[in-house]
Amino acid sequence: MTKTVLRIDASARTDGSVSRQLGDDILARLKPDTVVIRDLSETVPQIDGRWLAANMTPADQRTPDQRARLALSDAMIEELRSADTIVIATPIYNFGVPSSLKAWFDMVARAGLTFRYTEAGPVGLLEGKRVILALASGGTEIDSPIDFATPWLRHVLGFVGITDVQVVRSDRLMVDAEASKARATEDLERLAA
């Protein structure tokens, strides 16, 4: 049973967004006890030199300014840790993810918090969570050779330890809207199974 869902909306469109509608449809099927919403249509800051310096400073040695620089990142990581299911509702823009979603991942992929380095390479620290990707595209077919969003999302989620990734897709909307809706319905029904 899904208790807590972190919903991440990455579409720049707040009205008429297919990925946001898919996110709504997923939540209606999951019926979680708690939903935390992180809407990335608002500005998500890019990491910069001062952010990197704050992140590289041991937590007990950070200045007040450094702690303030990392406050949003800390809050986003806590949202991830607290959720048992994460719904990422995103369009595909120009074959990839929106820049706001990339900026969000930059904020949450932090050594010692969401992954750690070992002799064998990095190990994710957010195991035991499920992600449902709600993907929408006008022309890009999900998992086709020109889809750089879906494999990238699976990779970065695996990097932080999340390997249970399901996809609900409404792709190629501008090519065949009816077929796209049918694929989304099939994927949604699989979620309930």
Side-chain angles (χ1 to χ4, degrees), residues 116-123:
R116 65 184 171 88
Y117 290 112
T118 70
E119 293 289 325
V123 174

Side-chain angles (χ1 to χ4, degrees), residues 99-121:
S99 60
S100 60
L101 186 54
K102 170 63 168 80
W104 179 83
F105 270 106
D106 287 343
M107 288 280 172
V108 300
R110 286 178 52 200
L113 298 176
T114 57
F115 72 94
R116 65 184 171 88
Y117 290 112
T118 70
E119 293 289 325

Side-chain angles (χ1 to χ4, degrees), residues 5 7-9 14-32 35 37 87-90 132 134 168 188 191:
V5 169
R7 176 180 174 160
I8 299 164
D9 285 303
T14 55
D15 294 322
S17 166
V18 173
S19 63
R20 287 175 188 268
Q21 181 58 57
L22 287 175
D24 292 344
D25 295 343
I26 291 165
L27 288 179
R29 290 181 189 271
L30 294 178
K31 298 180 175 115
V35 178
I37 298 173
V87 174
I88 300 175
T90 186
I132 302 169
V168 175
L188 286 165
L191 279 182

Side-chain angles (χ1 to χ4, degrees), residues 111-167:
L113 298 176
T114 57
F115 72 94
R116 65 184 171 88
Y117 290 112
T118 70
E119 293 289 325
V123 174
L125 301 176
L126 298 176
E127 295 175 328
K129 298 182 182 299
R130 171 172 72 152
V131 167
I132 302 169
L133 300 175
L135 300 168
S137 80
T140 301
E141 182 179 356
I142 302 303
D143 287 325
S144 72
I146 62 169
D147 171 15
F148 299 101
T150 310
W152 181 81
L153 285 163
R154 287 183 179 121
H155 178 81
V156 296
L157 289 164
F159 181 76
V160 296
I162 303 171
T163 57
D164 182 358
V165 179
Q166 296 171 279
V167 175

